[in-house]
Amino acid sequence: MDNSEFRKNQRIISDWIINYFKKIEQYPVLSSTEPSEIKKLLNSEPPAESRPIQDLLKDFDSFLFKGITHWNHPGFMAYFNSTSCEAGILAEFLIAALNLNGMIWKTSPVVTELEEVTIKWMKKMIGISDNFWGIIYDTASISTFHALASAREQLNLEIRDKGTSGRNDLPKLSIYCSEHAHSSVEKSAIALGIGQENVRKINTNYKFEMDTEQLRTQILSDFKQGMRPFCVVATVGTTSFASIDPVEKISELCKEFDLWLHIDAAYAGVAAILPEMKWITKGWENADSMVINPHKWMFTPMDCSIYLTKKKSVLKSAFSLIPEYLRTQEDDEVDNLMDYGLQLGRRFRALKLWFIIGNLGVAGIEEKIRNHITWARKFADWVSNHKNLILIAPVHFSTVCFQFKSDSISSVEESNFYNQKLLDLINSSGKIFISHTKFKNQLVLRLTIGSYWQEEKHIELAKKIIEESIIKLTENN
Ligand SMILES: Cc1ncc(COP(=O)(O)O)c(C=O)c1O
Protein backbone atom coordinates (compact mmCIF):
# COMPACT_ATOMS: atom_id res chain seq x y z
CA MET A 1 0.00 0.00 0.00
CA ASP A 2 1.62 3.27 -1.01
CA ASN A 3 1.26 6.51 0.95
CA SER A 4 -1.56 7.93 -1.12
CA GLU A 5 -3.53 4.70 -0.91
CA PHE A 6 -2.89 4.51 2.84
CA ARG A 7 -4.09 8.12 3.24
CA LYS A 8 -7.18 7.42 1.14
CA ASN A 9 -8.03 4.29 3.14
CA GLN A 10 -7.38 6.02 6.42
CA ARG A 11 -9.87 8.75 5.41
CA ILE A 12 -12.40 6.15 4.35
CA ILE A 13 -12.14 4.45 7.74
CA SER A 14 -12.28 7.81 9.57
CA ASP A 15 -15.42 8.75 7.64
CA TRP A 16 -16.87 5.34 8.37
CA ILE A 17 -16.31 5.92 12.10
CA ILE A 18 -17.82 9.42 12.02
CA ASN A 19 -20.84 8.14 10.13
CA TYR A 20 -21.15 5.21 12.56
CA PHE A 21 -21.39 7.49 15.56
CA LYS A 22 -23.87 9.75 13.71
CA LYS A 23 -26.16 6.81 13.02
CA ILE A 24 -25.46 4.59 16.01
CA GLU A 25 -28.85 5.16 17.65
CA GLN A 26 -30.59 3.82 14.55
CA TYR A 27 -29.08 0.39 15.13
CA PRO A 28 -30.52 -2.13 17.59
CA VAL A 29 -28.15 -2.19 20.58
CA LEU A 30 -28.04 -5.97 20.68
CA SER A 31 -27.01 -8.07 17.71
CA SER A 32 -29.85 -10.35 16.68
CA THR A 33 -27.80 -12.86 14.72
CA GLU A 34 -28.27 -16.55 15.37
CA PRO A 35 -25.31 -18.67 16.47
CA SER A 36 -23.05 -19.50 13.48
CA GLU A 37 -24.98 -17.15 11.14
CA ILE A 38 -21.95 -14.94 10.56
CA LYS A 39 -19.50 -17.78 10.13
CA LYS A 40 -21.69 -19.23 7.40
CA LEU A 41 -21.64 -15.95 5.47
CA LEU A 42 -17.87 -15.89 5.29
CA ASN A 43 -15.45 -17.74 3.05
CA SER A 44 -13.93 -20.70 4.76
CA GLU A 45 -10.81 -20.31 2.60
CA PRO A 46 -8.45 -17.37 3.18
CA PRO A 47 -8.23 -15.10 0.11
CA ALA A 48 -5.23 -16.04 -2.00
CA GLU A 49 -5.01 -12.65 -3.70
CA SER A 50 -4.87 -9.14 -2.27
CA ARG A 51 -8.21 -7.36 -1.88
CA PRO A 52 -8.59 -3.57 -1.62
CA ILE A 53 -9.51 -2.18 1.80
CA GLN A 54 -12.69 -0.72 0.30
CA ASP A 55 -13.81 -4.21 -0.71
CA LEU A 56 -13.07 -5.49 2.77
CA LEU A 57 -15.03 -2.62 4.26
CA LYS A 58 -17.96 -3.47 2.00
CA ASP A 59 -17.90 -7.07 3.29
CA PHE A 60 -17.52 -5.75 6.82
CA ASP A 61 -20.74 -3.76 6.37
CA SER A 62 -22.58 -6.62 4.66
CA PHE A 63 -21.51 -9.61 6.73
CA LEU A 64 -19.83 -8.59 9.96
CA PHE A 65 -21.75 -5.51 11.04
CA LYS A 66 -24.89 -7.48 11.88
CA GLY A 67 -22.90 -9.44 14.48
CA ILE A 68 -22.10 -6.33 16.46
CA THR A 69 -23.61 -5.60 19.85
CA HIS A 70 -23.01 -1.87 20.07
CA TRP A 71 -21.12 -1.17 23.30
CA ASN A 72 -20.80 2.50 22.30
CA HIS A 73 -24.58 2.82 21.76
CA PRO A 74 -25.98 5.22 24.37
CA GLY A 75 -28.73 2.65 25.00
CA PHE A 76 -26.17 0.08 26.14
CA MET A 77 -26.98 -0.14 29.85
CA ALA A 78 -25.99 -3.74 30.58
CA TYR A 79 -23.17 -5.29 32.68
CA PHE A 80 -20.79 -2.37 33.26
CA ASN A 81 -20.24 0.09 30.42
CA SER A 82 -17.04 -0.05 28.47
CA THR A 83 -16.94 2.79 25.96
CA SER A 84 -14.32 4.50 23.84
CA CYS A 85 -14.08 8.27 23.56
CA GLU A 86 -12.59 10.04 20.54
CA ALA A 87 -9.18 10.56 22.20
CA GLY A 88 -9.00 6.85 23.04
CA ILE A 89 -9.88 5.83 19.50
CA LEU A 90 -7.21 8.12 18.05
CA ALA A 91 -4.63 6.84 20.55
CA GLU A 92 -5.37 3.26 19.43
CA PHE A 93 -4.66 4.34 15.85
CA LEU A 94 -1.22 5.61 16.86
CA ILE A 95 -0.60 2.56 19.05
CA ALA A 96 -1.24 0.24 16.12
CA ALA A 97 0.90 2.37 13.82
CA LEU A 98 3.86 2.37 16.20
CA ASN A 99 3.27 -1.22 17.31
CA LEU A 100 5.63 -0.84 20.24
CA ASN A 101 6.37 -3.76 22.46
CA GLY A 102 7.48 -2.62 25.90
CA MET A 103 8.51 -6.02 27.17
CA ILE A 104 11.66 -4.43 28.63
CA TRP A 105 12.54 -0.76 29.11
CA LYS A 106 15.02 -0.81 26.22
CA THR A 107 12.51 -2.11 23.67
CA SER A 108 10.72 1.24 23.98
CA PRO A 109 11.53 3.34 27.04
CA VAL A 110 8.40 5.43 26.50
CA VAL A 111 6.10 2.44 27.11
CA THR A 112 7.51 1.88 30.60
CA GLU A 113 7.91 5.54 31.51
CA LEU A 114 4.53 6.76 30.27
CA GLU A 115 2.93 3.87 32.15
CA GLU A 116 4.64 5.14 35.30
CA VAL A 117 3.54 8.73 34.68
CA THR A 118 -0.09 7.97 33.83
CA ILE A 119 -0.42 5.62 36.81
CA LYS A 120 0.90 8.42 39.01
CA TRP A 121 -1.73 10.72 37.51
CA MET A 122 -4.45 8.16 38.17
CA LYS A 123 -3.30 7.73 41.80
CA LYS A 124 -3.40 11.50 42.28
CA MET A 125 -6.82 11.78 40.66
CA ILE A 126 -8.29 8.99 42.78
CA GLY A 127 -6.42 9.80 46.00
CA ILE A 128 -4.13 6.79 46.34
CA SER A 129 -0.73 7.27 47.94
CA ASP A 130 2.65 6.67 46.36
CA ASN A 131 3.10 3.71 48.70
CA PHE A 132 1.46 1.87 45.83
CA TRP A 133 3.42 1.03 42.71
CA GLY A 134 1.46 0.29 39.56
CA ILE A 135 1.41 -1.57 36.27
CA ILE A 136 -1.11 -1.80 33.46
CA TYR A 137 -2.47 -5.23 32.54
CA ASP A 138 -5.17 -6.05 30.03
CA THR A 139 -8.08 -6.86 32.36
CA ALA A 140 -9.12 -6.88 36.01
CA SER A 141 -9.21 -10.66 35.92
CA ILE A 142 -5.49 -10.70 35.13
CA SER A 143 -4.78 -7.99 37.75
CA THR A 144 -6.51 -10.11 40.39
CA PHE A 145 -4.61 -13.18 39.22
CA HIS A 146 -1.33 -11.31 39.83
CA ALA A 147 -2.57 -10.16 43.26
CA LEU A 148 -3.35 -13.71 44.34
CA ALA A 149 -0.09 -15.02 42.88
CA SER A 150 1.78 -12.37 44.91
CA ALA A 151 -0.16 -13.21 48.05
CA ARG A 152 0.81 -16.85 47.61
CA GLU A 153 4.43 -15.96 46.88
CA GLN A 154 4.60 -13.99 50.12
CA LEU A 155 3.91 -17.19 52.08
CA ASN A 156 7.42 -18.48 51.20
CA LEU A 157 6.19 -21.99 50.53
CA GLU A 158 8.67 -22.49 47.66
CA ILE A 159 5.77 -23.01 45.28
CA ARG A 160 7.57 -21.09 42.56
CA ASP A 161 10.41 -23.62 42.55
CA LYS A 162 8.78 -26.82 43.64
CA GLY A 163 5.16 -26.41 42.57
CA THR A 164 2.33 -27.97 44.54
CA SER A 165 1.83 -31.39 43.03
CA GLY A 166 3.18 -34.36 44.92
CA ARG A 167 3.96 -32.30 48.02
CA ASN A 168 2.57 -33.24 51.40
CA ASP A 169 4.39 -30.49 53.27
CA LEU A 170 1.97 -27.81 52.10
CA PRO A 171 -1.08 -26.59 54.02
CA LYS A 172 -4.36 -26.13 52.19
CA LEU A 173 -4.51 -22.45 51.20
CA SER A 174 -7.75 -20.48 51.39
CA ILE A 175 -9.00 -17.19 49.97
CA TYR A 176 -11.96 -15.13 51.20
CA CYS A 177 -14.36 -12.91 49.30
CA SER A 178 -18.03 -12.06 49.44
CA GLU A 179 -20.69 -14.10 47.69
CA HIS A 180 -20.88 -11.20 45.22
CA ALA A 181 -17.18 -11.07 44.34
CA HIS A 182 -16.33 -11.35 40.67
CA SER A 183 -15.76 -14.83 39.23
CA SER A 184 -12.17 -13.83 38.43
CA VAL A 185 -11.27 -14.56 42.07
CA GLU A 186 -12.30 -18.20 41.63
CA LYS A 187 -10.73 -18.41 38.18
CA SER A 188 -7.43 -17.17 39.62
CA ALA A 189 -7.67 -19.73 42.42
CA ILE A 190 -8.23 -22.43 39.81
CA ALA A 191 -5.26 -21.27 37.72
CA LEU A 192 -2.96 -21.00 40.76
CA GLY A 193 -3.75 -24.51 41.96
CA ILE A 194 -5.49 -23.25 45.09
CA GLY A 195 -8.75 -24.84 44.06
CA GLN A 196 -12.18 -23.35 43.57
CA GLU A 197 -13.57 -24.93 46.74
CA ASN A 198 -10.92 -23.15 48.80
CA VAL A 199 -12.38 -19.77 47.86
CA ARG A 200 -14.66 -19.10 50.81
CA LYS A 201 -17.70 -17.07 49.79
CA ILE A 202 -18.74 -14.97 52.75
CA ASN A 203 -22.39 -13.99 53.11
CA THR A 204 -23.49 -10.40 52.77
CA ASN A 205 -25.89 -8.21 54.73
CA TYR A 206 -29.06 -6.52 53.44
CA LYS A 207 -26.89 -3.93 51.67
CA PHE A 208 -24.96 -6.71 49.88
CA GLU A 209 -21.80 -5.93 51.89
CA MET A 210 -19.51 -8.66 53.18
CA ASP A 211 -20.41 -9.78 56.70
CA THR A 212 -17.15 -9.31 58.62
CA GLU A 213 -18.34 -11.37 61.60
CA GLN A 214 -18.83 -14.35 59.32
CA LEU A 215 -15.47 -13.62 57.70
CA ARG A 216 -13.76 -13.75 61.10
CA THR A 217 -15.57 -16.98 62.06
CA GLN A 218 -14.64 -18.66 58.77
CA ILE A 219 -10.97 -17.63 59.02
CA LEU A 220 -10.74 -18.92 62.60
CA SER A 221 -12.43 -22.18 61.70
CA ASP A 222 -10.11 -22.71 58.72
CA PHE A 223 -7.01 -22.05 60.84
CA LYS A 224 -8.35 -24.54 63.37
CA GLN A 225 -8.65 -27.18 60.67
CA GLY A 226 -5.02 -26.72 59.68
CA MET A 227 -5.64 -24.63 56.60
CA ARG A 228 -3.60 -21.53 55.76
CA PRO A 229 -5.91 -18.57 55.06
CA PHE A 230 -3.79 -16.11 53.09
CA CYS A 231 -5.85 -13.55 51.21
CA VAL A 232 -9.09 -11.57 51.32
CA VAL A 233 -10.56 -9.90 48.24
CA ALA A 234 -12.82 -6.97 49.13
CA THR A 235 -14.93 -5.47 46.36
CA VAL A 236 -15.79 -1.81 45.95
CA GLY A 237 -18.55 -1.90 43.36
CA THR A 238 -19.62 -5.54 43.10
CA THR A 239 -20.60 -6.82 39.68
CA SER A 240 -24.18 -7.73 40.54
CA PHE A 241 -25.24 -4.95 42.92
CA ALA A 242 -22.42 -2.37 42.86
CA SER A 243 -22.22 -2.77 46.63
CA ILE A 244 -19.22 -1.85 48.76
CA ASP A 245 -17.51 -4.26 51.14
CA PRO A 246 -16.42 -2.71 54.47
CA VAL A 247 -12.77 -2.37 53.49
CA GLU A 248 -11.57 -0.78 56.71
CA LYS A 249 -13.00 -3.52 58.94
CA ILE A 250 -11.75 -6.20 56.56
CA SER A 251 -8.28 -4.64 56.64
CA GLU A 252 -8.24 -4.92 60.44
CA LEU A 253 -8.94 -8.64 60.16
CA CYS A 254 -6.25 -8.98 57.52
CA LYS A 255 -3.78 -7.33 59.88
CA GLU A 256 -4.84 -9.53 62.79
CA PHE A 257 -4.47 -12.76 60.81
CA ASP A 258 -1.64 -11.70 58.53
CA LEU A 259 -3.62 -11.95 55.30
CA TRP A 260 -3.07 -10.17 52.00
CA LEU A 261 -5.81 -7.66 51.23
CA HIS A 262 -6.69 -7.15 47.58
CA ILE A 263 -9.36 -4.60 46.62
CA ASP A 264 -11.34 -5.17 43.45
CA ALA A 265 -12.45 -1.68 42.44
CA ALA A 266 -12.45 -2.58 38.74
CA TYR A 267 -15.72 -0.78 38.01
CA ALA A 268 -16.16 1.78 40.77
CA GLY A 269 -12.61 2.87 41.56
CA VAL A 270 -12.68 5.76 39.11
CA ALA A 271 -15.70 7.26 40.93
CA ALA A 272 -13.23 8.41 43.60
CA ILE A 273 -11.88 10.92 41.10
CA LEU A 274 -14.85 13.02 42.31
CA PRO A 275 -14.15 14.86 45.56
CA GLU A 276 -17.61 13.91 46.83
CA MET A 277 -16.90 10.20 46.21
CA LYS A 278 -13.51 10.04 47.95
CA TRP A 279 -15.23 8.35 50.90
CA ILE A 280 -15.23 5.06 48.97
CA THR A 281 -11.43 4.89 49.38
CA LYS A 282 -11.66 4.60 53.17
CA GLY A 283 -9.29 1.84 54.26
CA TRP A 284 -7.62 1.46 50.87
CA GLU A 285 -4.30 2.59 52.30
CA ASN A 286 -4.26 -0.64 54.34
CA ALA A 287 -4.51 -2.85 51.26
CA ASP A 288 -1.65 -4.81 49.74
CA SER A 289 -3.02 -4.43 46.24
CA MET A 290 -5.96 -3.20 44.24
CA VAL A 291 -7.33 -3.09 40.70
CA ILE A 292 -9.08 -0.24 38.86
CA ASN A 293 -10.20 -0.52 35.23
CA PRO A 294 -10.12 2.62 33.07
CA HIS A 295 -11.68 0.46 30.34
CA LYS A 296 -14.89 0.26 32.35
CA TRP A 297 -15.91 3.73 33.49
CA MET A 298 -13.16 5.97 32.15
CA PHE A 299 -13.95 5.86 28.45
CA THR A 300 -10.80 3.91 27.54
CA PRO A 301 -11.06 1.46 24.63
CA MET A 302 -10.62 -2.17 25.64
CA ASP A 303 -8.33 -2.99 27.26
CA CYS A 304 -6.72 -1.19 30.20
CA SER A 305 -6.61 -2.35 33.81
CA ILE A 306 -4.45 -0.71 36.47
CA TYR A 307 -2.97 -2.96 39.14
CA LEU A 308 -1.52 -1.22 42.20
CA THR A 309 0.52 -2.90 44.89
CA LYS A 310 2.60 -2.00 47.91
CA LYS A 311 4.55 -5.22 47.41
CA LYS A 312 6.27 -4.62 44.11
CA SER A 313 9.22 -6.82 45.14
CA VAL A 314 6.91 -9.74 45.94
CA LEU A 315 5.31 -9.47 42.50
CA LYS A 316 8.79 -9.47 40.99
CA SER A 317 9.94 -12.46 42.96
CA ALA A 318 6.81 -14.33 41.84
CA PHE A 319 7.31 -13.65 38.13
CA SER A 320 10.77 -12.46 37.18
CA LEU A 321 12.62 -14.88 34.94
CA ILE A 322 15.19 -13.29 32.65
CA PRO A 323 16.53 -15.16 29.65
CA GLU A 324 20.00 -14.11 28.54
CA TYR A 325 18.76 -12.54 25.32
CA LEU A 326 16.65 -10.06 27.29
CA ARG A 327 19.39 -8.90 29.68
CA THR A 328 20.42 -5.26 29.28
CA GLN A 329 22.98 -2.88 30.73
CA GLU A 330 20.21 -0.80 32.31
CA ASP A 331 18.66 -3.67 34.27
CA ASP A 332 19.71 -2.21 37.63
CA GLU A 333 18.38 1.27 36.84
CA VAL A 334 14.99 0.65 35.26
CA ASP A 335 11.84 -1.39 35.58
CA ASN A 336 11.58 -4.04 32.90
CA LEU A 337 7.85 -4.67 33.01
CA MET A 338 8.15 -8.27 31.85
CA ASP A 339 9.48 -8.92 35.38
CA TYR A 340 6.11 -8.03 36.88
CA GLY A 341 3.75 -10.51 35.35
CA LEU A 342 3.11 -13.54 33.25
CA GLN A 343 3.25 -11.85 29.88
CA LEU A 344 6.37 -10.84 27.99
CA GLY A 345 4.90 -8.62 25.26
CA ARG A 346 3.33 -5.33 26.33
CA ARG A 347 1.05 -2.98 24.38
CA PHE A 348 1.47 0.78 24.67
CA ARG A 349 -1.76 1.10 26.67
CA ALA A 350 -0.57 4.09 28.66
CA LEU A 351 -0.85 6.22 25.51
CA LYS A 352 -4.64 5.80 25.70
CA LEU A 353 -4.68 7.13 29.26
CA TRP A 354 -2.35 9.98 28.34
CA PHE A 355 -4.56 10.99 25.40
CA ILE A 356 -7.82 10.64 27.35
CA ILE A 357 -6.73 12.44 30.50
CA GLY A 358 -5.01 15.07 28.37
CA ASN A 359 -7.95 15.62 26.04
CA LEU A 360 -10.84 15.48 28.53
CA GLY A 361 -8.88 16.92 31.43
CA VAL A 362 -9.61 15.79 34.97
CA ALA A 363 -12.56 18.21 35.01
CA GLY A 364 -14.03 16.65 31.86
CA ILE A 365 -13.77 13.14 33.30
CA GLU A 366 -15.29 14.33 36.59
CA GLU A 367 -18.21 15.94 34.80
CA LYS A 368 -19.06 12.73 32.94
CA ILE A 369 -18.84 10.50 36.02
CA ARG A 370 -20.77 13.00 38.16
CA ASN A 371 -23.55 13.14 35.58
CA HIS A 372 -23.76 9.35 35.46
CA ILE A 373 -24.14 9.14 39.23
CA THR A 374 -26.75 11.93 39.26
CA TRP A 375 -28.80 10.30 36.50
CA ALA A 376 -28.58 6.90 38.21
CA ARG A 377 -29.92 8.39 41.44
CA LYS A 378 -32.78 10.07 39.56
CA PHE A 379 -33.55 6.79 37.82
CA ALA A 380 -33.49 5.02 41.21
CA ASP A 381 -35.98 7.58 42.59
CA TRP A 382 -38.24 6.89 39.64
CA VAL A 383 -38.01 3.14 40.35
CA SER A 384 -38.74 3.69 44.05
CA ASN A 385 -41.86 5.69 43.24
CA HIS A 386 -43.15 3.29 40.59
CA LYS A 387 -46.07 1.11 41.63
CA ASN A 388 -44.76 -1.91 39.69
CA LEU A 389 -41.06 -1.64 40.49
CA ILE A 390 -38.97 -2.15 43.56
CA LEU A 391 -35.41 -0.95 44.16
CA ILE A 392 -33.25 -3.88 45.24
CA ALA A 393 -29.93 -2.33 46.29
CA PRO A 394 -28.56 1.03 47.46
CA VAL A 395 -27.31 3.15 44.56
CA HIS A 396 -23.81 4.37 45.38
CA PHE A 397 -22.58 4.65 41.82
CA SER A 398 -24.27 4.42 38.44
CA THR A 399 -25.86 0.98 38.61
CA VAL A 400 -29.49 0.46 39.58
CA CYS A 401 -30.91 -2.97 40.50
CA PHE A 402 -34.66 -3.40 40.45
CA GLN A 403 -37.48 -5.88 40.11
CA PHE A 404 -40.98 -5.96 38.73
CA LYS A 405 -43.58 -6.35 41.48
CA SER A 406 -47.30 -6.92 41.47
CA ASP A 407 -49.84 -7.95 44.11
CA SER A 408 -50.68 -11.01 42.04
CA ILE A 409 -47.13 -12.43 42.30
CA SER A 410 -47.05 -15.01 45.06
CA SER A 411 -43.87 -17.05 44.54
CA VAL A 412 -40.23 -16.74 43.49
CA GLU A 413 -41.03 -18.72 40.35
CA GLU A 414 -43.76 -16.28 39.36
CA SER A 415 -41.54 -13.31 40.13
CA ASN A 416 -38.79 -14.77 37.96
CA PHE A 417 -41.25 -15.48 35.17
CA TYR A 418 -42.51 -11.88 35.07
CA ASN A 419 -39.09 -10.33 35.48
CA GLN A 420 -37.67 -12.44 32.66
CA LYS A 421 -40.61 -11.41 30.46
CA LEU A 422 -40.07 -7.78 31.33
CA LEU A 423 -36.35 -8.05 30.58
CA ASP A 424 -37.10 -9.62 27.20
CA LEU A 425 -39.68 -6.95 26.36
CA ILE A 426 -37.28 -4.14 27.29
CA ASN A 427 -34.38 -5.57 25.30
CA SER A 428 -36.53 -6.47 22.29
CA SER A 429 -37.14 -2.72 21.84
CA GLY A 430 -33.64 -2.60 20.34
CA LYS A 431 -33.25 0.86 21.84
CA ILE A 432 -31.78 -0.12 25.15
CA PHE A 433 -30.04 -3.21 26.50
CA ILE A 434 -30.09 -3.97 30.20
CA SER A 435 -28.87 -7.12 31.97
CA HIS A 436 -29.81 -9.21 34.98
CA THR A 437 -28.43 -10.98 38.00
CA LYS A 438 -29.83 -13.32 40.61
CA PHE A 439 -30.00 -13.08 44.36
CA LYS A 440 -31.30 -15.95 46.46
CA ASN A 441 -32.68 -17.46 43.24
CA GLN A 442 -34.59 -14.29 42.41
CA LEU A 443 -34.08 -12.61 39.08
CA VAL A 444 -33.04 -8.97 39.44
CA LEU A 445 -32.83 -6.46 36.57
CA ARG A 446 -29.80 -4.17 36.32
CA LEU A 447 -29.49 -0.89 34.49
CA THR A 448 -26.09 0.72 34.39
CA ILE A 449 -25.12 4.18 33.22
CA GLY A 450 -21.52 5.05 32.46
CA SER A 451 -21.15 5.50 28.74
CA TYR A 452 -19.12 8.34 27.27
CA TRP A 453 -21.94 8.74 24.74
CA GLN A 454 -24.89 8.90 27.14
CA GLU A 455 -26.92 12.02 27.81
CA GLU A 456 -29.77 12.44 30.25
CA LYS A 457 -32.27 12.02 27.39
CA HIS A 458 -31.12 8.41 27.04
CA ILE A 459 -32.06 7.69 30.63
CA GLU A 460 -35.44 9.30 29.97
CA LEU A 461 -35.81 7.03 26.94
CA ALA A 462 -34.94 4.02 29.11
CA LYS A 463 -37.71 5.00 31.55
CA LYS A 464 -40.19 5.30 28.67
CA ILE A 465 -39.26 1.88 27.28
CA ILE A 466 -39.46 0.25 30.70
CA GLU A 467 -42.85 1.90 31.30
CA GLU A 468 -44.19 0.72 27.93
CA SER A 469 -42.85 -2.77 28.58
CA ILE A 470 -44.56 -2.88 31.98
CA ILE A 471 -47.85 -1.87 30.34
CA LYS A 472 -47.47 -4.65 27.74
CA LEU A 473 -46.57 -7.16 30.45
CA THR A 474 -49.53 -6.31 32.67
CA GLU A 475 -51.99 -6.09 29.74
CA ASN A 476 -51.01 -9.52 28.43
CA ASN A 477 -51.36 -11.18 31.79
C1 LIG B 1 -16.01 -6.03 40.09
C2 LIG B 1 -15.40 -6.65 38.88
N1 LIG B 1 -14.17 -7.17 38.95
C3 LIG B 1 -13.58 -7.73 37.89
C4 LIG B 1 -14.21 -7.78 36.68
C5 LIG B 1 -13.51 -8.41 35.50
O1 LIG B 1 -13.17 -7.42 34.59
P1 LIG B 1 -12.29 -7.73 33.30
O2 LIG B 1 -13.26 -7.96 32.19
O3 LIG B 1 -11.48 -6.50 33.11
O4 LIG B 1 -11.47 -8.93 33.59
C6 LIG B 1 -15.50 -7.27 36.54
C7 LIG B 1 -16.21 -7.32 35.26
O5 LIG B 1 -17.27 -6.79 35.08
C8 LIG B 1 -16.10 -6.68 37.67
O6 LIG B 1 -17.35 -6.19 37.61
Side-chain angles (χ1 to χ4, degrees):
M1 206 183 285
D2 64 24
N3 284 349
S4 74
E5 206 182 339
F6 183 71
R7 184 175 296 117
K8 191 180 80 192
N9 286 327
Q10 171 245 306
R11 289 209 176 121
I12 288 170
I13 299 279
S14 279
D15 287 344
W16 187 98
I17 293 171
I18 289 167
N19 206 29
Y20 171 68
F21 280 116
K22 239 192 243 166
K23 293 200 301 198
I24 194 166
E25 288 184 60
Q26 296 170 15
Y27 307 122
V29 190
L30 257 177
S31 165
S32 58
T33 49
E34 297 295 328
S36 298
E37 191 181 329
I38 294 178
K39 279 192 282 187
K40 283 184 195 150
L41 293 171
L42 301 172
N43 281 337
S44 52
E45 294 298 320
E49 305 297 331
S50 162
R51 295 182 64 205
I53 295 288
Q54 273 166 282
D55 270 14
L56 295 174
L57 196 57
K58 226 182 262 167
D59 283 2
F60 174 81
D61 283 334
S62 309
F63 307 132
L64 305 187
F65 194 81
K66 60 180 72 168
I68 293 174
T69 287
H70 298 275
W71 283 73
N72 269 333
H73 193 303
F76 190 107
M77 298 173 179
Y79 317 116
F80 287 132
N81 284 106
S82 174
T83 57
S84 51
C85 64
E86 300 91 340
I89 297 166
L90 295 170
E92 284 284 19
F93 192 33
L94 266 180
I95 292 166
L98 295 167
N99 199 31
L100 308 183
N101 185 341
M103 50 195 193
I104 54 178
W105 178 85
K106 183 183 177 172
T107 55
S108 243
V110 68
V111 175
T112 304
E113 296 192 16
L114 194 64
E115 202 158 311
E116 205 176 296
V117 170
T118 50
I119 287 174
K120 213 170 177 128
W121 284 3
M122 288 294 294
K123 286 191 294 185
K124 275 204 173 132
M125 287 157 67
I126 293 171
I128 297 166
S129 81
D130 277 337
N131 293 332
F132 289 88
W133 172 88
I135 184 166
I136 302 178
Y137 296 127
D138 54 359
T139 57
S141 304
I142 295 303
S143 293
T144 292
F145 167 83
H146 286 97
L148 300 190
S150 302
R152 190 184 68 174
E153 174 70 14
Q154 189 174 255
L155 296 172
N156 290 323
L157 295 172
E158 297 181 292
I159 291 174
R160 178 184 160 126
D161 290 333
K162 298 183 179 164
T164 52
S165 66
R167 287 179 68 182
N168 48 20
D169 61 326
L170 289 178
K172 248 190 184 186
L173 305 180
S174 51
I175 297 171
Y176 304 78
C177 60
S178 101
E179 57 187 321
H180 300 305
H182 190 259
S183 50
S184 52
V185 178
E186 283 166 278
K187 276 202 182 179
S188 299
I190 294 167
L192 290 164
I194 287 153
Q196 194 175 1
E197 68 179 33
N198 296 318
V199 177
R200 308 295 205 197
K201 302 278 197 68
I202 306 299
N203 286 342
T204 52
N205 65 16
Y206 71 102
K207 287 196 279 182
F208 306 93
E209 304 160 339
M210 193 195 292
D211 176 344
T212 47
E213 274 313 304
Q214 207 213 329
L215 173 63
R216 164 177 264 279
T217 310
Q218 186 68 54
I219 292 169
L220 282 171
S221 144
D222 288 343
F223 267 122
K224 223 176 192 175
Q225 296 197 25
M227 293 181 76
R228 177 61 172 96
F230 76 105
C231 179
V232 181
V233 179
T235 313
V236 175
T238 57
T239 315
S240 283
F241 298 101
S243 56
I244 304 175
D245 287 333
V247 173
E248 200 165 42
K249 268 198 199 157
I250 293 170
S251 75
E252 285 160 15
L253 290 176
C254 288
K255 198 166 170 207
E256 183 181 342
F257 295 109
D258 191 22
L259 313 179
W260 183 287
L261 173 58
H262 175 61
I263 299 174
D264 179 352
Y267 152 63
V270 297
I273 294 172
L274 302 182
E276 66 272 28
M277 292 299 290
K278 290 273 185 270
W279 59 270
I280 66 164
T281 64
K282 199 165 169 217
W284 288 17
E285 189 56 35
N286 305 332
D288 295 283
S289 60
M290 62 183 79
V291 54
I292 296 166
N293 269 13
H295 80 224
K296 288 202 194 308
W297 198 5
M298 217 185 86
F299 325 123
T300 309
M302 282 288 294
D303 43 29
C304 186
S305 176
I306 295 180
Y307 175 66
L308 299 171
T309 180
K310 276 193 207 148
K311 309 269 175 71
K312 179 185 174 188
S313 59
V314 179
L315 180 64
K316 191 171 182 178
S317 72
F319 287 102
S320 180
L321 189 70
I322 310 169
E324 183 50 42
Y325 47 85
L326 292 175
R327 287 194 190 280
T328 69
Q329 285 167 354
E330 301 84 15
D331 283 355
D332 293 336
E333 284 171 72
V334 297
D335 277 337
N336 290 316
L337 293 178
M338 69 162 185
D339 289 339
Y340 298 90
L342 202 56
Q343 67 185 81
L344 170 63
R346 167 162 298 272
R347 299 187 72 222
F348 191 15
R349 294 191 186 90
L351 190 67
K352 294 190 272 192
L353 289 180
W354 194 72
F355 260 56
I356 290 167
I357 300 169
N359 184 241
L360 301 183
V362 179
I365 294 170
E366 278 183 9
E367 187 187 346
K368 289 263 176 208
I369 295 175
R370 183 174 290 120
N371 279 339
H372 295 154
I373 295 174
T374 306
W375 300 337
R377 289 190 183 149
K378 282 194 198 170
F379 178 78
D381 287 344
W382 177 77
V383 166
S384 299
N385 292 319
H386 196 291
K387 69 178 193 322
N388 286 117
L389 296 175
I390 179 167
L391 192 67
I392 296 296
V395 178
H396 304 294
F397 303 108
S398 62
T399 300
V400 184
C401 297
F402 59 99
Q403 255 180 349
F404 173 76
K405 67 169 183 190
S406 153
D407 291 342
S408 65
I409 293 177
S410 58
S411 66
V412 170
E413 289 73 25
E414 264 188 281
S415 171
N416 287 352
F417 174 80
Y418 283 110
N419 276 286
Q420 183 62 54
K421 270 202 145 182
L422 180 59
L423 181 66
D424 294 342
L425 280 167
I426 293 166
N427 288 341
S428 67
S429 73
K431 298 203 176 309
I432 65 166
F433 170 36
I434 66 169
S435 54
H436 77 280
T437 188
K438 265 194 175 170
F439 180 60
K440 298 206 189 297
N441 285 329
Q442 288 207 39
L443 198 74
V444 173
L445 310 188
R446 274 174 94 262
L447 180 144
T448 196
I449 300 167
S451 164
Y452 179 77
W453 304 97
Q454 271 160 353
E455 297 170 42
E456 192 165 13
K457 68 178 184 191
H458 299 112
I459 319 308
E460 290 304 313
L461 177 68
K463 287 199 299 203
K464 184 168 169 279
I465 289 162
I466 295 170
E467 187 68 71
E468 287 167 0
S469 304
I470 289 173
I471 292 169
K472 274 190 208 157
L473 181 72
T474 45
E475 272 174 3
N476 293 342
N477 294 284

